[in-house]
Each structure stands twice: as structure tokens, then as C-alpha cells.
Amino acid sequence: MRPRVGQMLASTVDPTAVIVIRCPDEELEITCGGAAMVEGAGPGSAATGTAGPEPLGGSLLGKRYAAEDLGLELLCTKPGPGTLAVNGVPLPVKSAKPLPASD
């Protein structure tokens, strides 16, 4: 799939839904719970299967998941038990930038 900024993606194995915040102009395999995510979102929009054998770290509401080396960033709009991954590599939660010192 070639993701677009603003695109909503939903998991096919759990309730997880994300919005693409930043993405490269190339084909990527974005998965949740080991299954490819599909375009669309909403209550129960796409969950039809079961999570694969991968470790289930889960996704957290309001957290950003990023692959800095690829230039991909996703915002979780609906949490679930499946692990978000791109091209088979789990996506870590993006850390907050430290605030400057106020001397």
C-alpha cells in the first residue's frame, strides 16, 4: 500500500485504527497484529480475523508511532491489543521532545 497523509487505516484483526500523520512516497506494508491494515475507520469497521502469532504489545489511544528512518508517523485513534508494524518491524511509540531549560 502507498499511504497518504490524512488517510485512516483500520486493523482487520482488532479494533485498532490510526491516521497517517507523515509518510514517504513509497510502498509500505503497514500491519496490526500481523495482518495488513485497510483503509477506513469507525466502530467495528474492519475487524474480522484474529491476531497472528507475533507478540501483542498493543496500541495506545492518542500515541504516535514512528519509523524515523522511513519518515512514517501514525496517530492511534482507537486502541487495540495488536502490535503496529511497518514492513515487518514493530513501530515504537514516538518519544516527546524535551522542553528547553528555563534558566
Side-chain angles (χ1 to χ4, degrees), residues 11-38:
S11 171
T12 58
V13 296
D14 71 12
T16 302
V18 298
I19 294 177
V20 178
I21 302 297
R22 195 168 44 106
C23 63
D25 188 27
E26 62 185 69
E27 291 287 325
L28 298 174
E29 181 186 13
I30 300 173
T31 61
C32 180
M37 295 188 83
V38 296

Side-chain angles (χ1 to χ4, degrees):
M1 140 191 337
R2 188 178 296 260
R4 305 177 315 276
V5 171
Q7 182 179 26
M8 298 176 82
L9 301 173
S11 171
T12 58
V13 296
D14 71 12
T16 302
V18 298
I19 294 177
V20 178
I21 302 297
R22 195 168 44 106
C23 63
D25 188 27
E26 62 185 69
E27 291 287 325
L28 298 174
E29 181 186 13
I30 300 173
T31 61
C32 180
M37 295 188 83
V38 296
E39 188 167 4
S45 63
T48 58
T50 57
E54 64 155 82
L56 296 175
S59 55
L60 303 172
L61 179 66
K63 295 294 183 183
R64 292 177 183 243
Y65 293 84
E68 297 295 337
D69 55 330
L70 293 175
L72 176 71
E73 187 173 330
L74 305 173
L75 172 64
C76 181
T77 58
K78 193 168 182 189
T83 300
L84 293 169
V86 64
N87 297 335
V89 178
L91 287 173
V93 174
K94 185 176 180 181
S95 59
K97 293 181 182 177
L99 295 174
S102 59
D103 292 348

